[in-house]
Amino acid sequence: MERLESYVLGRWQPAAGELATVVDPTHETPLGQVGSHGIDFQAVLAYGREKGGPALRALTFAERGKLLAGIAAAIHEKRDELIDVSIQSGGTTRGDAKFDIDGAIGTLTYYAGLGEKLGSRTYLLDGDVVQLGRTPRFSGLHVRVPRRGVAVHVNAFNFPAWGMMEKAACALLAGMPVLEKPGTPTALLAWRIARLVIEKVKLPDGAFQVVIGSLGDTLDHMGPQDVLAFTGSSATGAKLRGHPNLVRHNVRVNVEADSLNAAVLAPDVDTGSETFGLFLNNVVTDMTQKTGQKCTAVRRILVPSDALNSVRDELVAALARIVVGDPADKLTRMGPLASKSQLDEVRAGIERFAQSGTLACGGSKPVHAKGYFVAPTLVVARDGREPAFHREEVFGPVAVLLPYSGDAREAAAIVNLGGGGLVCSAYSNDAAWSTTFALEVAPWHGRVWLASDKSAEQSLAPGMVLPQMVHGGPGRAGGGEELGAERGLAFYQQRTAIQGFQGHLQTL
Ligand code: NAP
């Protein structure tokens, strides 16, 4: 069995100490061992700060962008092999594997292009020069300079490729070295990618370190110039955010947590329309893509009361066509969950949901004798405001159908019971309904996605996170923000107001 290594202090360090086993979730066979015992994390942070940071800061945006292009090319060159690793170690179908790996390549390529556009600068200006004195002689402006610490990235298991690279792309382009920590169950793919990055791309020493396994006491050694970007469950996010050393030093923390994303059908949408077809397709894709282990997956489906039964029947019929099985098989549309603990949690969640609503399809029973499989599961709520469905994220192919009156404000009020989400999608051809709804849910969401017949043909799926648009959300979604083109760099930079003689400011 392979022992996965960490890449720290300029060398590969094999797994040591108490080892965790990475398992193929389809066949339940062990694939590798993970452990980070013996790593001196204080030294790892110092190495990043002292070696990687200065080297990256000496590069222009265009040069840093070239490094990102190099990483994208290295991943692309081995894309087929990486897809196979994802299928085996993550239980992803080929399509799901591409979603993750191509997402990584696309995001790196986007930020490589942004680097080229930002050109020969090493820092950014933020806004215009402002006159502060009686005349422009005494003025002020804002600069954004790279922070002089290490960007520690703690990633969830569900996107080992994209999750690691969307964070690394922004940090490296901003000029900060990274310490990546992938989620353990799918660490095999992250480790393979890390190997490619180290072997194929000439990154400055200390710019890219990866810990496969536990982060040890890293958080105890972080300082005011370091940043922590976390993706995972709300519970872990809250624990890390409240870490006494991070609080003491006011370490900047970004949390991307869970989200009860909603899809809302407006009353004006005819069942024969393009928008209705898009609604059905998107909901089924979102429930089953990556076996529902997607932070942006639809968890709540709001439908006008009088359409509830017909929508339920259409969804049940569509979900019945999803072939659940070995993801290596071409006919399979949905693979297993990524780990045994995921399976246990999803089954328990389905059982809790079944107590507050009616199971329309699926359930918690085993689907195959071996592997961490669960059936696509739809629960119908008796009451749209039933608290159980606005409280808990079941991180699998599980969603609940909720009735509402058809009123945009009422729909938004029900959606907002989720306490803050990453994305909310709405399907309507009525401009007034759409815009009222969008503005009512906007304070509680990072992204609002609107479908109509006019844009149906061109629209990208709501579950797709794009580097051009911000990703994150308030409240239970973690309160964080990532990506969004140049906005994604701000977390890794210090914005400083510089006030002084206009002539000096012009030099900046
Ligand atoms: P998790 O259990 O919270 O773990 C997330 C990461 O935190 C993993 O790398 C984990 O490492 C690490 N971790 C756990 N305890 C830690 C500690 N005490 N100190 C330092 N690191 C620690 O979440 P998950 O099961 O991997 O991911 C599923 C969750 O992520 C879902 O709730 C999903 O909604 C959310 N998610 C959110 C987004 C988003 O963008 N908002 C994206 C993807 C997923 P180990 O794996 O080694 O335990």
Side-chain angles (χ1 to χ4, degrees), residues 154-159 162 181-185 213-215 219 230-234 236-237 239-240 256-259 294-295 342 393 395 422 471 477 482:
V154 180
N155 296 307
F157 73 84
N158 59 337
F159 280 101
W162 176 82
K181 185 257 178 284
T184 295
S214 156
L215 259 191
L219 271 47
F230 166 82
T231 295
S233 62
S234 300
T236 315
K239 192 152 67 172
L240 300 199
E256 296 294 333
D258 48 60
S259 170
K294 212 171 56 174
C295 54
Q342 261 292 108
E393 179 201 47
F395 204 56
L422 296 172
H471 172 62
E482 291 182 335

Side-chain angles (χ1 to χ4, degrees), residues 364-432:
S364 62
K365 290 210 185 75
V367 175
H368 297 299
K370 249 204 175 339
Y372 309 138
F373 294 96
V374 69
T377 298
L378 184 69
V379 178
V380 183
R382 284 176 281 276
D383 176 354
R385 291 177 184 261
E386 166 61 49
F389 300 126
H390 304 288
R391 210 167 36 209
E392 184 182 359
E393 179 201 47
V394 179
F395 204 56
V398 182
V400 59
L401 200 54
L402 301 148
Y404 80 103
S405 65
D407 177 68
R409 284 199 168 78
E410 196 216 340
I414 294 176
V415 168
N416 293 343
L417 292 175
L422 296 172
V423 58
C424 172
S425 49
Y427 298 76
S428 176
N429 288 311
D430 178 340

